[in-house]
Amino acid sequence: MEKKMINLKIDNIPVQVESGTTILDAAKKVGVKIPTLCYLREINAIGACRICLVECKNRRPLLTACVYPCEEGMEIITHSERINKARKTNLELILSAHVKNCLSCDKSMHCKLQQLAYEYGCDENHFKGAMSERIIDDSSYSLHRDSLKCILCKRCKAMCYETQDVKVINVNKRGFDSYLGCAFGQKIADTACVGCGQCTLVCPTGALSEKNDIDKVITALNDPELTCIVAPAPSVRVGIAEEFGEKVGTNAEGRLVTSLKMLGFNKVFDIDFAADLTIMEEAHELIERIKNKGILPMMTSCSPGWVNYLTAYYPELIPNLSSAKSPQGMFGSTIKTYWAEKNKIDPNKIFVVTIMPCTAKKTEIHRKRDTHEGIMDVDAVLTVRELGRLLKRQGIKFNELNDSKFDDPLGESTGAAVIFGVTGGVMEAALRTAADTLSGKSLKKIDYKKVRGTKGIKEAAVEVDGVKLNVCVASGLKNAHEVMEQVKNGNKKNWSFIEIMACPGGCVNGGGMPLHDLSDVSFETRAKLRAKSIYKEDEKKHIRKSHENPAIKSLYEEYFEKPGSHKAHEYLHNHSYDKRKFI
């Protein structure tokens, strides 16, 4: 049934839209920008901040554009003296109860409140608000929360409830004492928060941000007794340039390597190498489970936010998780065993830093299972945003840098490793190796396009050498919940292998990626642009299968023996997953 079309004018520009279209979307259609603060495309439209107010001819009250539907014959004015005064007043009222340490705030220059206050010429001291008690929560390894920077836009709640299905943050108390926080005033670390950081992407101020580890890394770089090693994840190369004003999805791998060397790291390796290593172990584990009638479906374990979710909400399905460490864990373990022995360096004197699109990776390195003989696999994790701030602090002009290559011998990787950054990438990489192993041939058809794309849940049937594999890929924890319910209720679709990423669209939309105005650019759009660059990189690689990487072959010959060996299990696998207390 066709929707009714509505005709109206916005700033004297005729526009025709479908029935149900909001004034905000109608204005966008004709290139008129209406400011917003609490609005979050596709997730949060509640009209709470009153910044999107507009006038309608012959109507006395101002209308909230983000929620008010268009009506036939409307004549909308988006900017006038009355509107601008109302917006400015609302902004100043918000500022009256907002702590104003903007110069030292992690969201400075990316804060929507800061931007709008500047545009409307606000006086931050016009109104004297009654500030409630300031609560700073640093209990989580991943996240930082400052209650007096919260403007009650509820974006974080919408993301946590509607997209991620974790539901650990909501409005507490009433009136002037209202604040967004965890139930009963709990600290983040005492809840079932998975550390995915999606709330930090949507928070328009500095109320929620990643735990800042920049100073920790600088201290290590200035310690002459430490050998500092750094490795960026696949998504970092298609995200870091955005921190310096370049287009979404720009692949800046060469400049990324140069910038890390300029910071003073002794070695700059590619964590994609460890992604190849993960595939070797994970594909071998999948084949063993299939051949020996092990526990199926096997589930990927490289997304720490997803692992946190499963252990909190579906602990009975922990046996389905692959025991393989994430590429981050395998990288750190390899550096502090194989590489340390080869270079005759005390592992205690090696400081490993990873650059991640993910805030949950900060929590992952503190798990007991990611240590060996008391030595942490990885010592510090920086998000893409933190790396951007660090490079600016050190005066490195990223846009002007020349390209460099990763250091050997842990710098060579395959296309299979690169696609770890997108939803479906781990699945496709594992299938490339599993298919060759099961068939005993080097297959030419290696693009498993059915598991690609930004759709929340994808299914495919793959037949290899007479063995039929039903696989499933999900991204975003609400979709993970749907998949887990099906597994819990009997796996009627007979999935053999399931890949799950905590963040919608995979690592390219990780909680530590660059910030954008989400009223204009959707999560899906960003994911598609970054994924496009990653698949281009995969196509350019002369080796696109993990098991064909000569550096990986040498590593097994020299140290880990073979995939699934006793030594490989000792260093590259998790020996147990602890059940969390939230069920």
PDB file of all heavy atoms in Angstrom, residues 531-565:
ATOM      1  N   ALA A 531      34.233  -0.856   5.612  1.00  0.00           N
ATOM      2  CA  ALA A 531      34.324  -2.240   5.129  1.00  0.00           C
ATOM      3  C   ALA A 531      34.766  -2.291   3.670  1.00  0.00           C
ATOM      4  O   ALA A 531      35.528  -3.174   3.272  1.00  0.00           O
ATOM      5  CB  ALA A 531      32.976  -2.945   5.297  1.00  0.00           C
ATOM      6  N   LYS A 532      34.300  -1.346   2.887  1.00  0.00           N
ATOM      7  CA  LYS A 532      34.681  -1.294   1.468  1.00  0.00           C
ATOM      8  C   LYS A 532      36.192  -1.184   1.320  1.00  0.00           C
ATOM      9  O   LYS A 532      36.805  -1.860   0.488  1.00  0.00           O
ATOM     10  CB  LYS A 532      33.989  -0.104   0.793  1.00  0.00           C
ATOM     11  CG  LYS A 532      34.212  -0.020  -0.708  1.00  0.00           C
ATOM     12  CD  LYS A 532      33.439   1.155  -1.297  1.00  0.00           C
ATOM     13  CE  LYS A 532      33.670   1.253  -2.805  1.00  0.00           C
ATOM     14  NZ  LYS A 532      32.930   2.422  -3.382  1.00  0.00           N
ATOM     15  N   SER A 533      36.811  -0.355   2.147  1.00  0.00           N
ATOM     16  CA  SER A 533      38.268  -0.201   2.111  1.00  0.00           C
ATOM     17  C   SER A 533      38.976  -1.471   2.541  1.00  0.00           C
ATOM     18  O   SER A 533      40.019  -1.842   1.993  1.00  0.00           O
ATOM     19  CB  SER A 533      38.699   0.965   3.015  1.00  0.00           C
ATOM     20  OG  SER A 533      38.254   2.197   2.497  1.00  0.00           O
ATOM     21  N   ILE A 534      38.409  -2.163   3.522  1.00  0.00           N
ATOM     22  CA  ILE A 534      39.022  -3.399   4.009  1.00  0.00           C
ATOM     23  C   ILE A 534      38.968  -4.496   2.946  1.00  0.00           C
ATOM     24  O   ILE A 534      39.950  -5.212   2.718  1.00  0.00           O
ATOM     25  CB  ILE A 534      38.348  -3.839   5.325  1.00  0.00           C
ATOM     26  CG1 ILE A 534      38.905  -2.988   6.476  1.00  0.00           C
ATOM     27  CG2 ILE A 534      38.568  -5.323   5.599  1.00  0.00           C
ATOM     28  CD1 ILE A 534      38.415  -3.358   7.840  1.00  0.00           C
ATOM     29  N   TYR A 535      37.827  -4.637   2.267  1.00  0.00           N
ATOM     30  CA  TYR A 535      37.730  -5.658   1.222  1.00  0.00           C
ATOM     31  C   TYR A 535      38.647  -5.335   0.041  1.00  0.00           C
ATOM     32  O   TYR A 535      39.184  -6.242  -0.607  1.00  0.00           O
ATOM     33  CB  TYR A 535      36.278  -5.804   0.756  1.00  0.00           C
ATOM     34  CG  TYR A 535      35.430  -6.601   1.717  1.00  0.00           C
ATOM     35  CD1 TYR A 535      34.286  -6.048   2.291  1.00  0.00           C
ATOM     36  CD2 TYR A 535      35.765  -7.911   2.074  1.00  0.00           C
ATOM     37  CE1 TYR A 535      33.503  -6.774   3.176  1.00  0.00           C
ATOM     38  CE2 TYR A 535      34.993  -8.639   2.964  1.00  0.00           C
ATOM     39  CZ  TYR A 535      33.864  -8.062   3.513  1.00  0.00           C
ATOM     40  OH  TYR A 535      33.097  -8.776   4.409  1.00  0.00           O
ATOM     41  N   LYS A 536      38.850  -4.051  -0.245  1.00  0.00           N
ATOM     42  CA  LYS A 536      39.806  -3.666  -1.293  1.00  0.00           C
ATOM     43  C   LYS A 536      41.211  -4.102  -0.923  1.00  0.00           C
ATOM     44  O   LYS A 536      41.990  -4.564  -1.759  1.00  0.00           O
ATOM     45  CB  LYS A 536      39.768  -2.150  -1.510  1.00  0.00           C
ATOM     46  CG  LYS A 536      38.626  -1.654  -2.373  1.00  0.00           C
ATOM     47  CD  LYS A 536      38.757  -0.161  -2.630  1.00  0.00           C
ATOM     48  CE  LYS A 536      37.636   0.349  -3.527  1.00  0.00           C
ATOM     49  NZ  LYS A 536      37.740   1.823  -3.766  1.00  0.00           N
ATOM     50  N   GLU A 537      41.555  -3.937   0.354  1.00  0.00           N
ATOM     51  CA  GLU A 537      42.879  -4.353   0.836  1.00  0.00           C
ATOM     52  C   GLU A 537      43.038  -5.862   0.715  1.00  0.00           C
ATOM     53  O   GLU A 537      44.095  -6.361   0.319  1.00  0.00           O
ATOM     54  CB  GLU A 537      43.041  -3.915   2.301  1.00  0.00           C
ATOM     55  CG  GLU A 537      44.404  -4.197   2.900  1.00  0.00           C
ATOM     56  CD  GLU A 537      45.510  -3.308   2.360  1.00  0.00           C
ATOM     57  OE1 GLU A 537      45.208  -2.304   1.695  1.00  0.00           O
ATOM     58  OE2 GLU A 537      46.682  -3.639   2.609  1.00  0.00           O
ATOM     59  N   ASP A 538      41.989  -6.600   1.032  1.00  0.00           N
ATOM     60  CA  ASP A 538      42.005  -8.065   0.902  1.00  0.00           C
ATOM     61  C   ASP A 538      42.269  -8.474  -0.550  1.00  0.00           C
ATOM     62  O   ASP A 538      43.099  -9.347  -0.830  1.00  0.00           O
ATOM     63  CB  ASP A 538      40.666  -8.632   1.384  1.00  0.00           C
ATOM     64  CG  ASP A 538      40.473 -10.108   1.059  1.00  0.00           C
ATOM     65  OD1 ASP A 538      41.450 -10.872   1.143  1.00  0.00           O
ATOM     66  OD2 ASP A 538      39.332 -10.477   0.715  1.00  0.00           O
ATOM     67  N   GLU A 539      41.587  -7.818  -1.477  1.00  0.00           N
ATOM     68  CA  GLU A 539      41.736  -8.153  -2.895  1.00  0.00           C
ATOM     69  C   GLU A 539      43.147  -7.873  -3.412  1.00  0.00           C
ATOM     70  O   GLU A 539      43.635  -8.549  -4.317  1.00  0.00           O
ATOM     71  CB  GLU A 539      40.717  -7.356  -3.718  1.00  0.00           C
ATOM     72  CG  GLU A 539      39.271  -7.804  -3.504  1.00  0.00           C
ATOM     73  CD  GLU A 539      38.271  -6.852  -4.114  1.00  0.00           C
ATOM     74  OE1 GLU A 539      38.707  -5.875  -4.773  1.00  0.00           O
ATOM     75  OE2 GLU A 539      37.049  -7.069  -3.947  1.00  0.00           O
ATOM     76  N   LYS A 540      43.819  -6.876  -2.822  1.00  0.00           N
ATOM     77  CA  LYS A 540      45.166  -6.506  -3.282  1.00  0.00           C
ATOM     78  C   LYS A 540      46.242  -7.453  -2.782  1.00  0.00           C
ATOM     79  O   LYS A 540      47.328  -7.520  -3.353  1.00  0.00           O
ATOM     80  CB  LYS A 540      45.506  -5.089  -2.815  1.00  0.00           C
ATOM     81  CG  LYS A 540      44.754  -3.987  -3.544  1.00  0.00           C
ATOM     82  CD  LYS A 540      45.340  -2.617  -3.254  1.00  0.00           C
ATOM     83  CE  LYS A 540      45.332  -2.267  -1.803  1.00  0.00           C
ATOM     84  NZ  LYS A 540      45.833  -0.899  -1.532  1.00  0.00           N
ATOM     85  N   LYS A 541      45.965  -8.166  -1.700  1.00  0.00           N
ATOM     86  CA  LYS A 541      46.977  -9.043  -1.105  1.00  0.00           C
ATOM     87  C   LYS A 541      47.330 -10.194  -2.054  1.00  0.00           C
ATOM     88  O   LYS A 541      46.432 -10.825  -2.632  1.00  0.00           O
ATOM     89  CB  LYS A 541      46.463  -9.621   0.220  1.00  0.00           C
ATOM     90  CG  LYS A 541      46.309  -8.588   1.331  1.00  0.00           C
ATOM     91  CD  LYS A 541      47.632  -8.273   1.986  1.00  0.00           C
ATOM     92  CE  LYS A 541      47.457  -7.404   3.215  1.00  0.00           C
ATOM     93  NZ  LYS A 541      48.734  -7.102   3.880  1.00  0.00           N
ATOM     94  N   HIS A 542      48.624 -10.491  -2.188  1.00  0.00           N
ATOM     95  CA  HIS A 542      49.005 -11.612  -3.057  1.00  0.00           C
ATOM     96  C   HIS A 542      48.757 -12.953  -2.383  1.00  0.00           C
ATOM     97  O   HIS A 542      48.667 -13.983  -3.039  1.00  0.00           O
ATOM     98  CB  HIS A 542      50.467 -11.484  -3.499  1.00  0.00           C
ATOM     99  CG  HIS A 542      51.471 -11.643  -2.393  1.00  0.00           C
ATOM    100  ND1 HIS A 542      51.750 -10.645  -1.481  1.00  0.00           N
ATOM    101  CD2 HIS A 542      52.264 -12.702  -2.056  1.00  0.00           C
ATOM    102  CE1 HIS A 542      52.669 -11.072  -0.629  1.00  0.00           C
ATOM    103  NE2 HIS A 542      52.995 -12.310  -0.941  1.00  0.00           N
ATOM    104  N   ILE A 543      48.642 -12.951  -1.050  1.00  0.00           N
ATOM    105  CA  ILE A 543      48.249 -14.151  -0.307  1.00  0.00           C
ATOM    106  C   ILE A 543      46.974 -13.822   0.451  1.00  0.00           C
ATOM    107  O   ILE A 543      46.931 -12.854   1.207  1.00  0.00           O
ATOM    108  CB  ILE A 543      49.352 -14.598   0.679  1.00  0.00           C
ATOM    109  CG1 ILE A 543      50.646 -14.910  -0.076  1.00  0.00           C
ATOM    110  CG2 ILE A 543      48.889 -15.829   1.469  1.00  0.00           C
ATOM    111  CD1 ILE A 543      51.806 -15.242   0.837  1.00  0.00           C
ATOM    112  N   ARG A 544      45.927 -14.645   0.265  1.00  0.00           N
ATOM    113  CA  ARG A 544      44.628 -14.333   0.866  1.00  0.00           C
ATOM    114  C   ARG A 544      44.123 -15.437   1.796  1.00  0.00           C
ATOM    115  O   ARG A 544      42.971 -15.412   2.221  1.00  0.00           O
ATOM    116  CB  ARG A 544      43.604 -14.055  -0.234  1.00  0.00           C
ATOM    117  CG  ARG A 544      43.978 -12.852  -1.112  1.00  0.00           C
ATOM    118  CD  ARG A 544      42.956 -12.623  -2.202  1.00  0.00           C
ATOM    119  NE  ARG A 544      41.655 -12.257  -1.634  1.00  0.00           N
ATOM    120  CZ  ARG A 544      40.515 -12.376  -2.307  1.00  0.00           C
ATOM    121  NH1 ARG A 544      40.501 -12.884  -3.537  1.00  0.00           N
ATOM    122  NH2 ARG A 544      39.372 -12.023  -1.746  1.00  0.00           N
ATOM    123  N   LYS A 545      44.980 -16.395   2.106  1.00  0.00           N
ATOM    124  CA  LYS A 545      44.619 -17.477   3.023  1.00  0.00           C
ATOM    125  C   LYS A 545      45.650 -17.557   4.139  1.00  0.00           C
ATOM    126  O   LYS A 545      46.856 -17.548   3.875  1.00  0.00           O
ATOM    127  CB  LYS A 545      44.556 -18.812   2.286  1.00  0.00           C
ATOM    128  CG  LYS A 545      43.548 -18.855   1.143  1.00  0.00           C
ATOM    129  CD  LYS A 545      43.671 -20.168   0.383  1.00  0.00           C
ATOM    130  CE  LYS A 545      42.729 -20.225  -0.809  1.00  0.00           C
ATOM    131  NZ  LYS A 545      42.897 -21.465  -1.598  1.00  0.00           N
ATOM    132  N   SER A 546      45.180 -17.674   5.358  1.00  0.00           N
ATOM    133  CA  SER A 546      46.073 -17.658   6.512  1.00  0.00           C
ATOM    134  C   SER A 546      47.114 -18.760   6.483  1.00  0.00           C
ATOM    135  O   SER A 546      48.284 -18.543   6.816  1.00  0.00           O
ATOM    136  CB  SER A 546      45.245 -17.758   7.804  1.00  0.00           C
ATOM    137  OG  SER A 546      44.386 -16.647   7.941  1.00  0.00           O
ATOM    138  N   HIS A 547      46.721 -19.962   6.069  1.00  0.00           N
ATOM    139  CA  HIS A 547      47.640 -21.092   6.115  1.00  0.00           C
ATOM    140  C   HIS A 547      48.721 -21.014   5.045  1.00  0.00           C
ATOM    141  O   HIS A 547      49.677 -21.794   5.060  1.00  0.00           O
ATOM    142  CB  HIS A 547      46.875 -22.416   5.985  1.00  0.00           C
ATOM    143  CG  HIS A 547      46.059 -22.524   4.740  1.00  0.00           C
ATOM    144  ND1 HIS A 547      44.867 -21.866   4.580  1.00  0.00           N
ATOM    145  CD2 HIS A 547      46.264 -23.214   3.586  1.00  0.00           C
ATOM    146  CE1 HIS A 547      44.356 -22.134   3.392  1.00  0.00           C
ATOM    147  NE2 HIS A 547      45.188 -22.951   2.762  1.00  0.00           N
ATOM    148  N   GLU A 548      48.590 -20.055   4.107  1.00  0.00           N
ATOM    149  CA  GLU A 548      49.603 -19.891   3.074  1.00  0.00           C
ATOM    150  C   GLU A 548      50.607 -18.787   3.405  1.00  0.00           C
ATOM    151  O   GLU A 548      51.515 -18.513   2.625  1.00  0.00           O
ATOM    152  CB  GLU A 548      48.935 -19.603   1.725  1.00  0.00           C
ATOM    153  CG  GLU A 548      48.126 -20.791   1.191  1.00  0.00           C
ATOM    154  CD  GLU A 548      47.456 -20.489  -0.138  1.00  0.00           C
ATOM    155  OE1 GLU A 548      47.516 -19.316  -0.588  1.00  0.00           O
ATOM    156  OE2 GLU A 548      46.862 -21.417  -0.720  1.00  0.00           O
ATOM    157  N   ASN A 549      50.447 -18.167   4.558  1.00  0.00           N
ATOM    158  CA  ASN A 549      51.369 -17.119   4.995  1.00  0.00           C
ATOM    159  C   ASN A 549      52.710 -17.762   5.370  1.00  0.00           C
ATOM    160  O   ASN A 549      52.790 -18.536   6.328  1.00  0.00           O
ATOM    161  CB  ASN A 549      50.783 -16.393   6.209  1.00  0.00           C
ATOM    162  CG  ASN A 549      51.609 -15.203   6.649  1.00  0.00           C
ATOM    163  OD1 ASN A 549      52.788 -15.079   6.330  1.00  0.00           O
ATOM    164  ND2 ASN A 549      50.979 -14.316   7.410  1.00  0.00           N
ATOM    165  N   PRO A 550      53.810 -17.468   4.641  1.00  0.00           N
ATOM    166  CA  PRO A 550      55.106 -18.093   4.932  1.00  0.00           C
ATOM    167  C   PRO A 550      55.619 -17.787   6.335  1.00  0.00           C
ATOM    168  O   PRO A 550      56.302 -18.617   6.951  1.00  0.00           O
ATOM    169  CB  PRO A 550      56.035 -17.518   3.863  1.00  0.00           C
ATOM    170  CG  PRO A 550      55.348 -16.303   3.339  1.00  0.00           C
ATOM    171  CD  PRO A 550      53.889 -16.563   3.478  1.00  0.00           C
ATOM    172  N   ALA A 551      55.290 -16.589   6.853  1.00  0.00           N
ATOM    173  CA  ALA A 551      55.735 -16.236   8.201  1.00  0.00           C
ATOM    174  C   ALA A 551      55.033 -17.106   9.243  1.00  0.00           C
ATOM    175  O   ALA A 551      55.625 -17.491  10.261  1.00  0.00           O
ATOM    176  CB  ALA A 551      55.458 -14.758   8.462  1.00  0.00           C
ATOM    177  N   ILE A 552      53.764 -17.432   8.989  1.00  0.00           N
ATOM    178  CA  ILE A 552      53.020 -18.315   9.892  1.00  0.00           C
ATOM    179  C   ILE A 552      53.603 -19.727   9.841  1.00  0.00           C
ATOM    180  O   ILE A 552      53.779 -20.396  10.873  1.00  0.00           O
ATOM    181  CB  ILE A 552      51.525 -18.334   9.515  1.00  0.00           C
ATOM    182  CG1 ILE A 552      50.870 -16.989   9.856  1.00  0.00           C
ATOM    183  CG2 ILE A 552      50.791 -19.475  10.206  1.00  0.00           C
ATOM    184  CD1 ILE A 552      50.691 -16.722  11.325  1.00  0.00           C
ATOM    185  N   LYS A 553      53.918 -20.185   8.639  1.00  0.00           N
ATOM    186  CA  LYS A 553      54.525 -21.512   8.491  1.00  0.00           C
ATOM    187  C   LYS A 553      55.828 -21.596   9.271  1.00  0.00           C
ATOM    188  O   LYS A 553      56.089 -22.589   9.978  1.00  0.00           O
ATOM    189  CB  LYS A 553      54.783 -21.808   7.012  1.00  0.00           C
ATOM    190  CG  LYS A 553      53.526 -21.994   6.173  1.00  0.00           C
ATOM    191  CD  LYS A 553      53.879 -22.254   4.707  1.00  0.00           C
ATOM    192  CE  LYS A 553      52.636 -22.416   3.841  1.00  0.00           C
ATOM    193  NZ  LYS A 553      52.981 -22.630   2.411  1.00  0.00           N
ATOM    194  N   SER A 554      56.644 -20.548   9.169  1.00  0.00           N
ATOM    195  CA  SER A 554      57.932 -20.532   9.878  1.00  0.00           C
ATOM    196  C   SER A 554      57.726 -20.536  11.393  1.00  0.00           C
ATOM    197  O   SER A 554      58.470 -21.193  12.128  1.00  0.00           O
ATOM    198  CB  SER A 554      58.742 -19.294   9.479  1.00  0.00           C
ATOM    199  OG  SER A 554      59.082 -19.335   8.119  1.00  0.00           O
ATOM    200  N   LEU A 555      56.716 -19.799  11.846  1.00  0.00           N
ATOM    201  CA  LEU A 555      56.448 -19.725  13.281  1.00  0.00           C
ATOM    202  C   LEU A 555      56.096 -21.093  13.842  1.00  0.00           C
ATOM    203  O   LEU A 555      56.574 -21.477  14.922  1.00  0.00           O
ATOM    204  CB  LEU A 555      55.303 -18.739  13.539  1.00  0.00           C
ATOM    205  CG  LEU A 555      54.892 -18.511  14.995  1.00  0.00           C
ATOM    206  CD1 LEU A 555      56.055 -17.977  15.811  1.00  0.00           C
ATOM    207  CD2 LEU A 555      53.709 -17.539  15.069  1.00  0.00           C
ATOM    208  N   TYR A 556      55.286 -21.858  13.107  1.00  0.00           N
ATOM    209  CA  TYR A 556      54.947 -23.203  13.575  1.00  0.00           C
ATOM    210  C   TYR A 556      56.161 -24.128  13.517  1.00  0.00           C
ATOM    211  O   TYR A 556      56.403 -24.924  14.432  1.00  0.00           O
ATOM    212  CB  TYR A 556      53.792 -23.774  12.750  1.00  0.00           C
ATOM    213  CG  TYR A 556      52.430 -23.327  13.232  1.00  0.00           C
ATOM    214  CD1 TYR A 556      51.667 -22.413  12.499  1.00  0.00           C
ATOM    215  CD2 TYR A 556      51.906 -23.788  14.441  1.00  0.00           C
ATOM    216  CE1 TYR A 556      50.422 -21.992  12.945  1.00  0.00           C
ATOM    217  CE2 TYR A 556      50.668 -23.373  14.895  1.00  0.00           C
ATOM    218  CZ  TYR A 556      49.933 -22.472  14.147  1.00  0.00           C
ATOM    219  OH  TYR A 556      48.705 -22.047  14.605  1.00  0.00           O
ATOM    220  N   GLU A 557      56.933 -24.022  12.454  1.00  0.00           N
ATOM    221  CA  GLU A 557      58.127 -24.877  12.318  1.00  0.00           C
ATOM    222  C   GLU A 557      59.144 -24.600  13.412  1.00  0.00           C
ATOM    223  O   GLU A 557      59.755 -25.515  13.969  1.00  0.00           O
ATOM    224  CB  GLU A 557      58.767 -24.652  10.944  1.00  0.00           C
ATOM    225  CG  GLU A 557      57.956 -25.214   9.788  1.00  0.00           C
ATOM    226  CD  GLU A 557      58.511 -24.792   8.436  1.00  0.00           C
ATOM    227  OE1 GLU A 557      59.559 -24.092   8.408  1.00  0.00           O
ATOM    228  OE2 GLU A 557      57.894 -25.135   7.399  1.00  0.00           O
ATOM    229  N   GLU A 558      59.304 -23.328  13.762  1.00  0.00           N
ATOM    230  CA  GLU A 558      60.320 -22.943  14.738  1.00  0.00           C
ATOM    231  C   GLU A 558      59.860 -23.043  16.183  1.00  0.00           C
ATOM    232  O   GLU A 558      60.675 -23.225  17.082  1.00  0.00           O
ATOM    233  CB  GLU A 558      60.775 -21.505  14.471  1.00  0.00           C
ATOM    234  CG  GLU A 558      61.505 -21.294  13.164  1.00  0.00           C
ATOM    235  CD  GLU A 558      61.870 -19.833  12.951  1.00  0.00           C
ATOM    236  OE1 GLU A 558      62.129 -19.144  13.961  1.00  0.00           O
ATOM    237  OE2 GLU A 558      61.888 -19.384  11.798  1.00  0.00           O
ATOM    238  N   TYR A 559      58.522 -22.894  16.408  1.00  0.00           N
ATOM    239  CA  TYR A 559      58.120 -22.741  17.799  1.00  0.00           C
ATOM    240  C   TYR A 559      56.855 -23.506  18.202  1.00  0.00           C
ATOM    241  O   TYR A 559      56.884 -24.323  19.127  1.00  0.00           O
ATOM    242  CB  TYR A 559      57.937 -21.254  18.104  1.00  0.00           C
ATOM    243  CG  TYR A 559      57.999 -20.926  19.576  1.00  0.00           C
ATOM    244  CD1 TYR A 559      59.222 -20.879  20.240  1.00  0.00           C
ATOM    245  CD2 TYR A 559      56.842 -20.662  20.311  1.00  0.00           C
ATOM    246  CE1 TYR A 559      59.293 -20.587  21.591  1.00  0.00           C
ATOM    247  CE2 TYR A 559      56.894 -20.361  21.656  1.00  0.00           C
ATOM    248  CZ  TYR A 559      58.121 -20.333  22.295  1.00  0.00           C
ATOM    249  OH  TYR A 559      58.187 -20.042  23.634  1.00  0.00           O
ATOM    250  N   PHE A 560      55.726 -23.249  17.518  1.00  0.00           N
ATOM    251  CA  PHE A 560      54.455 -23.809  17.976  1.00  0.00           C
ATOM    252  C   PHE A 560      54.143 -25.196  17.414  1.00  0.00           C
ATOM    253  O   PHE A 560      53.084 -25.753  17.686  1.00  0.00           O
ATOM    254  CB  PHE A 560      53.301 -22.848  17.640  1.00  0.00           C
ATOM    255  CG  PHE A 560      53.329 -21.573  18.448  1.00  0.00           C
ATOM    256  CD1 PHE A 560      53.322 -20.332  17.820  1.00  0.00           C
ATOM    257  CD2 PHE A 560      53.370 -21.610  19.834  1.00  0.00           C
ATOM    258  CE1 PHE A 560      53.346 -19.157  18.563  1.00  0.00           C
ATOM    259  CE2 PHE A 560      53.398 -20.445  20.587  1.00  0.00           C
ATOM    260  CZ  PHE A 560      53.392 -19.215  19.944  1.00  0.00           C
ATOM    261  N   GLU A 561      55.020 -25.731  16.592  1.00  0.00           N
ATOM    262  CA  GLU A 561      54.944 -27.093  16.043  1.00  0.00           C
ATOM    263  C   GLU A 561      53.849 -27.241  14.982  1.00  0.00           C
ATOM    264  O   GLU A 561      54.124 -27.411  13.809  1.00  0.00           O
ATOM    265  CB  GLU A 561      54.753 -28.122  17.167  1.00  0.00           C
ATOM    266  CG  GLU A 561      55.911 -28.106  18.171  1.00  0.00           C
ATOM    267  CD  GLU A 561      55.603 -28.880  19.434  1.00  0.00           C
ATOM    268  OE1 GLU A 561      54.509 -29.477  19.515  1.00  0.00           O
ATOM    269  OE2 GLU A 561      56.452 -28.886  20.340  1.00  0.00           O
ATOM    270  N   LYS A 562      52.606 -27.201  15.394  1.00  0.00           N
ATOM    271  CA  LYS A 562      51.498 -27.321  14.444  1.00  0.00           C
ATOM    272  C   LYS A 562      50.227 -26.808  15.108  1.00  0.00           C
ATOM    273  O   LYS A 562      50.150 -26.724  16.348  1.00  0.00           O
ATOM    274  CB  LYS A 562      51.300 -28.776  14.006  1.00  0.00           C
ATOM    275  CG  LYS A 562      50.897 -29.705  15.144  1.00  0.00           C
ATOM    276  CD  LYS A 562      50.693 -31.126  14.638  1.00  0.00           C
ATOM    277  CE  LYS A 562      50.257 -32.047  15.796  1.00  0.00           C
ATOM    278  NZ  LYS A 562      50.010 -33.435  15.319  1.00  0.00           N
ATOM    279  N   PRO A 563      49.198 -26.441  14.315  1.00  0.00           N
ATOM    280  CA  PRO A 563      47.944 -25.973  14.912  1.00  0.00           C
ATOM    281  C   PRO A 563      47.351 -27.031  15.847  1.00  0.00           C
ATOM    282  O   PRO A 563      47.283 -28.210  15.506  1.00  0.00           O
ATOM    283  CB  PRO A 563      47.033 -25.746  13.699  1.00  0.00           C
ATOM    284  CG  PRO A 563      47.977 -25.465  12.576  1.00  0.00           C
ATOM    285  CD  PRO A 563      49.171 -26.338  12.837  1.00  0.00           C
ATOM    286  N   GLY A 564      46.970 -26.592  17.029  1.00  0.00           N
ATOM    287  CA  GLY A 564      46.363 -27.509  17.981  1.00  0.00           C
ATOM    288  C   GLY A 564      47.345 -28.322  18.795  1.00  0.00           C
ATOM    289  O   GLY A 564      46.940 -29.177  19.588  1.00  0.00           O
ATOM    290  N   SER A 565      48.645 -28.065  18.616  1.00  0.00           N
ATOM    291  CA  SER A 565      49.651 -28.823  19.377  1.00  0.00           C
ATOM    292  C   SER A 565      49.563 -28.463  20.862  1.00  0.00           C
ATOM    293  O   SER A 565      48.925 -27.483  21.249  1.00  0.00           O
ATOM    294  CB  SER A 565      51.058 -28.505  18.865  1.00  0.00           C
ATOM    295  OG  SER A 565      51.413 -27.176  19.215  1.00  0.00           O
TER     296      SER A 565
END
